[in-house]
Amino acid sequence: MAALTLALDAMGGDHGPSIVIAALKSALSEFAEVHFIVVGDEAELLPLLQQQQLDTHPRITLKHASQTVAMTDKPGYSLRAKPDSSMRIALDLVASGDAAACVSAGNTGALMTKAYFALKTLPGVLRPALMSAIPQASGKSSFLLDLGANPVCDSDTLFQFGVMGSQAARHVLHIEQPRVALLNMGEEDIKGNDVVKATAQLLLNSPSVNYIGFIEGDDLFADKADVIVCDGFVGNIALKSCEGLADLLLNNIRANINAHWMTRWFVKLFYSRLQRSWDWLKPDHYNGASLIGLRGVVIKSHGDANAKAFLSAIAQAVEEAQQDLPTRIRDQVEHVLLEQE
Amino acid sequence: MAALTLALDAMGGDHGPSIVIAALKSALSEFAEVHFIVVGDEAELLPLLQQQQLDTHPRITLKHASQTVAMTDKPGYSLRAKPDSSMRIALDLVASGDAAACVSAGNTGALMTKAYFALKTLPGVLRPALMSAIPQASGKSSFLLDLGANPVCDSDTLFQFGVMGSQAARHVLHIEQPRVALLNMGEEDIKGNDVVKATAQLLLNSPSVNYIGFIEGDDLFADKADVIVCDGFVGNIALKSCEGLADLLLNNIRANINAHWMTRWFVKLFYSRLQRSWDWLKPDHYNGASLIGLRGVVIKSHGDANAKAFLSAIAQAVEEAQQDLPTRIRDQVEHVLLEQE
């Protein structure tokens, strides 16, 4: 593995910097050549690093930030009023080339706005998109985008999401010819709205994308596509609805289990297996989301992430940085634009 | 219970008329005052009724239909080419007043198109909506609409869905002041697209609706609202995504269970409880969907419905017909239109 530097926003997330430092500890042994710049309030971070005996670690640099973006800060406000926030400094480290990627569990809206401002989109890219890996019945993963960066998209933008998602699946999921699908309310050509239908035409006409057609919500996890494209409004609601259903189901299973002494006893044996399913079920809790289409790698870990989930976001950042995903996307978008001329 | 007549499209659904006849048998004892007109191919239905000793039942009328709408028929085609289909005749029985409601497990697109054509919308209603009860963490149900009748909606239409859904919750779920929410990608006022924001204003300004604001996908089942409004594109994808996740999860749990001899043994005890959760988890499989805003009660049972699910759709039809939901909706829409003048 080539040497690489990652910037970690240590102040984001609901559970504070201790989660980030715990994830960092695991990441140091998992990624032996990666250097980490930990950005945040020195007074808070130094004791945490000392506790973990990481304060003098040769692959850690502590970088002070005098401000912290709150989970409730409005994006515009945080952009104007918090130029010295840990989130902004971590992004600036990517913009300057001092870090190859940045990971934050902070406020999603603020992160998207600051990232867009600090890093700008790649040449030819209309809009950045928020993309996450979602589990499939086969045990593999597929990419779903956009998850909320763009509540309204035109067909050119959705088409580009297909192109960008396809490059990501090729280089990060290592699928040679990723199957790209559009999320729609039916599989037939006549279904859906005008934007989805126009996007289907653009994808059909592009020799660079392996477009397989529309898929419906119930096939989101059925291993039918490697890349599933929709606007941010639909993607956000689809993924969060699944999260809501998972909660409902798991509470219901728990209630059923607790209702009987034999199941309560049994669950002690069964629980670890079930727990694994549960983690896997909440893709946006467990995986980070990639903000793609920018001139740098930005990974958003869930606000509620625990150390394991934050570590998984770090792993994603390492993979995307190693594959140099922004350059791959830039090249492909350029290629497709030339194709369309 | 007042005497009531229901029309059943016996030919719809993936599993054929035997499901409908099995549900009918249970419905006859459950709803002692309800008369059923069973519509479909006499040659196929009569032997099924005979098998169940229902062919001379005083509360069953068999009505022959020479055509059947296939699950793959395009809506426009079925409307033009199948005027004597079981689905169409069942709807016509509602239009003529010979039946108070109709239930079909047939092709959703064809049912919506035929119902719109045969029954027309209520005065003042812009568009009919497909609405389903979804389970809540509390064990209660809420209504979600639209589920796919309208892929694109303006704010006036979404506002009316709030008004109609609110009346349905009042009279069918028996909630005095139903909490009406808009499904959005965030809870803050600035989130979402222009249509959702404009709808929020209309709902806020209406004294007839108990509007509580935006809710996100992860609160779909969290008992925060009694009526959740969105366009048909979003509603369809949200509900079907949940169905997809439920399948993924349940297969995963099954795999975990089968992986160990002790869990395999245990599951024999645990299974019936789990099975109950599973039924409950697939709202659109288990419950019927109501097509509201029309001059009559139309219930769509899932194409994949078993007899139990079809019986649940019949129960919905009985409830909506007894409450005279179309009249309630008409009165409320009229009232709201006057309020707006």
Side-chain angles (χ1 to χ4, degrees):
Chain A
M1 187 198 286
L4 208 65
T5 300
L6 251 61
L8 307 183
D9 168 12
M11 309 305 287
D14 301 333
H15 306 304
S18 61
I19 290 298
V20 176
I21 302 304
L24 170 64
K25 187 159 190 179
S26 309
L28 283 165
S29 53
E30 196 162 318
F31 306 106
E33 309 255 331
V34 178
H35 188 105
F36 295 92
I37 309 179
V38 183
V39 189
D41 180 7
E42 211 168 31
E44 206 173 332
L45 293 175
L46 198 53
L48 287 170
L49 288 168
Q50 280 164 343
Q51 265 171 37
Q52 303 280 344
Q53 296 168 309
L54 294 176
D55 51 314
T56 58
H57 195 286
R59 287 192 283 123
I60 294 179
T61 306
L62 179 56
K63 191 163 176 66
H64 180 65
S66 66
Q67 294 178 305
T68 296
V69 175
M71 294 307 267
T72 50
D73 281 352
K74 296 253 188 285
Y77 166 79
S78 89
L79 185 66
R80 285 188 309 275
K82 297 194 171 168
D84 199 45
S85 62
S86 56
M87 186 189 278
R88 178 58 193 275
I89 292 174
L91 288 163
D92 283 342
L93 286 167
V94 179
S96 63
D98 292 310
C102 124
V103 182
S104 174
N107 179 330
T108 311
L111 183 66
M112 290 191 302
T113 306
K114 282 176 188 280
Y116 188 60
F117 186 83
L119 291 171
K120 309 285 185 291
T121 48
L122 290 160
V125 168
L126 298 166
R127 292 282 310 161
L130 203 60
M131 181 182 80
S132 184
I134 59 170
Q136 298 294 307
S138 61
K140 294 179 190 161
S141 290
S142 298
F143 281 141
L144 177 66
L145 74 166
D146 175 39
L147 295 176
N150 309 278
V152 181
C153 295
D154 61 16
S155 55
D156 288 328
T157 305
L158 285 182
F159 168 68
Q160 275 201 352
F161 291 172
V163 173
M164 297 198 297
S166 182
Q167 276 297 77
R170 199 169 283 134
H171 296 288
V172 179
L173 301 179
H174 308 289
I175 299 165
E176 213 170 309
Q177 289 290 330
R179 299 160 298 169
V180 176
L182 280 170
L183 189 56
N184 198 355
M185 53 181 283
E187 286 177 16
E188 307 86 6
D189 293 345
I190 52 154
K191 286 288 175 77
N193 56 41
D194 291 343
V195 174
V196 163
K197 289 178 206 168
T199 309
Q201 273 312 313
L202 292 171
L203 287 165
L204 268 174
N205 294 340
S206 171
S208 302
V209 179
N210 176 21
Y211 175 63
I212 59 156
F214 295 138
I215 65 166
E216 295 190 66
D218 48 354
D219 283 333
L220 213 47
F221 309 98
D223 207 20
K224 292 207 173 167
D226 304 303
V227 179
I228 302 159
V229 174
C230 57
D231 69 42
F233 194 89
V234 168
N236 180 286
I237 288 175
L239 202 59
K240 287 204 174 159
S241 298
C242 290
E243 204 180 303
L245 185 80
D247 280 333
L248 177 76
L249 171 60
L250 301 175
N251 287 333
N252 185 255
I253 290 181
R254 262 188 228 111
N256 275 325
I257 287 171
N258 287 327
H260 196 284
W261 67 267
M262 197 152 37
T263 51
R264 276 200 303 277
W265 167 80
F266 175 77
V267 87
K268 290 179 186 168
L269 302 164
F270 186 57
Y271 195 78
S272 66
R273 288 186 171 280
L274 212 54
Q275 192 65 49
R276 279 204 294 279
S277 307
W278 299 3
D279 276 352
W280 189 53
L281 254 177
K282 293 189 164 188
D284 79 327
H285 270 76
Y286 189 65
N287 296 309
S290 307
L291 197 55
I292 62 168
L294 297 173
R295 296 165 198 247
V297 173
V298 180
I299 307 291
K300 165 74 176 83
S301 183
H302 198 275
D304 192 31
N306 56 19
K308 196 173 153 199
F310 200 90
L311 178 64
S312 139
I314 291 176
Q316 267 175 266
V318 170
E319 182 69 14
E320 290 190 17
Q322 278 183 329
Q323 298 296 331
D324 195 4
L325 187 60
T327 303
R328 307 285 194 166
I329 288 177
R330 187 201 64 199
D331 291 350
Q332 187 70 359
V333 167
E334 203 169 81
H335 176 75
V336 170
L337 286 173
L338 286 173
E339 233 174 45
Q340 288 180 323
E341 266 171 15
Chain B
M1 185 196 287
L4 208 67
T5 300
L6 250 62
L8 307 183
D9 169 13
M11 309 305 286
D14 301 333
H15 306 304
S18 60
I19 290 297
V20 176
I21 302 303
L24 170 64
K25 187 159 190 179
S26 309
L28 283 164
S29 53
E30 195 161 320
F31 306 106
E33 309 254 332
V34 178
H35 188 106
F36 294 92
I37 308 179
V38 183
V39 189
D41 181 8
E42 211 167 35
E44 205 172 332
L45 293 175
L46 197 54
L48 286 171
L49 288 169
Q50 280 163 344
Q51 266 171 38
Q52 304 281 345
Q53 296 168 308
L54 295 176
D55 50 315
T56 56
H57 195 287
R59 287 192 283 123
I60 294 179
T61 306
L62 179 56
K63 189 161 178 68
H64 179 64
S66 67
Q67 294 178 305
T68 296
V69 175
M71 293 307 267
T72 50
D73 282 352
K74 296 255 189 284
Y77 165 79
S78 90
L79 184 65
R80 285 189 309 275
K82 297 194 171 168
D84 198 45
S85 61
S86 55
M87 184 188 279
R88 178 59 193 272
I89 291 174
L91 288 163
D92 284 342
L93 286 167
V94 178
S96 64
D98 292 309
C102 125
V103 182
S104 174
N107 179 330
T108 311
L111 183 66
M112 291 191 301
T113 306
K114 281 176 190 282
Y116 189 60
F117 186 83
L119 291 171
K120 308 286 184 290
T121 48
L122 290 160
V125 168
L126 298 166
R127 292 283 309 161
L130 203 60
M131 180 182 81
S132 183
I134 59 169
Q136 298 295 307
S138 61
K140 293 179 189 160
S141 290
S142 298
F143 281 141
L144 177 66
L145 74 165
D146 174 39
L147 296 176
N150 310 278
V152 182
C153 296
D154 60 16
S155 54
D156 289 327
T157 305
L158 286 183
F159 168 68
Q160 275 202 351
F161 291 173
V163 173
M164 298 199 295
S166 182
Q167 276 297 77
R170 199 169 282 134
H171 296 288
V172 179
L173 300 180
H174 308 290
I175 298 166
E176 213 171 309
Q177 288 290 331
R179 298 160 297 170
V180 176
L182 280 170
L183 189 56
N184 198 356
M185 53 181 284
E187 287 176 15
E188 307 86 7
D189 293 346
I190 53 155
K191 285 290 175 74
N193 57 40
D194 292 343
V195 174
V196 164
K197 288 177 206 167
T199 308
Q201 273 311 315
L202 292 172
L203 287 165
L204 268 175
N205 294 340
S206 171
S208 303
V209 179
N210 176 21
Y211 175 63
I212 59 156
F214 295 138
I215 66 166
E216 295 190 66
D218 49 353
D219 283 333
L220 213 47
F221 309 98
D223 207 19
K224 293 209 172 166
D226 304 303
V227 179
I228 302 158
V229 174
C230 57
D231 70 42
F233 194 89
V234 168
N236 180 287
I237 289 175
L239 203 58
K240 287 204 173 159
S241 298
C242 289
E243 204 180 302
L245 184 79
D247 280 333
L248 178 75
L249 170 61
L250 301 175
N251 288 333
N252 186 254
I253 290 181
R254 262 188 229 110
N256 275 324
I257 286 170
N258 287 328
H260 196 283
W261 68 267
M262 197 152 36
T263 52
R264 276 199 304 276
W265 168 82
F266 174 80
V267 87
K268 291 178 185 169
L269 302 166
F270 185 59
Y271 194 79
S272 67
R273 288 187 171 280
L274 213 52
Q275 192 66 49
R276 279 203 296 279
S277 308
W278 298 3
D279 276 352
W280 189 51
L281 255 175
K282 292 189 165 189
D284 78 327
H285 270 76
Y286 189 64
N287 296 310
S290 307
L291 197 55
I292 62 168
L294 297 174
R295 296 165 199 248
V297 173
V298 180
I299 306 291
K300 164 75 177 82
S301 183
H302 198 275
D304 193 30
N306 57 19
K308 196 173 152 199
F310 199 89
L311 178 63
S312 138
I314 290 176
Q316 268 175 266
V318 170
E319 181 69 14
E320 290 189 18
Q322 278 182 329
Q323 299 296 331
D324 194 5
L325 187 60
T327 303
R328 308 286 193 164
I329 288 177
R330 186 201 64 199
D331 292 349
Q332 186 70 359
V333 167
E334 204 170 79
H335 176 75
V336 169
L337 285 174
L338 286 173
E339 232 173 45
Q340 289 180 325
E341 267 169 15

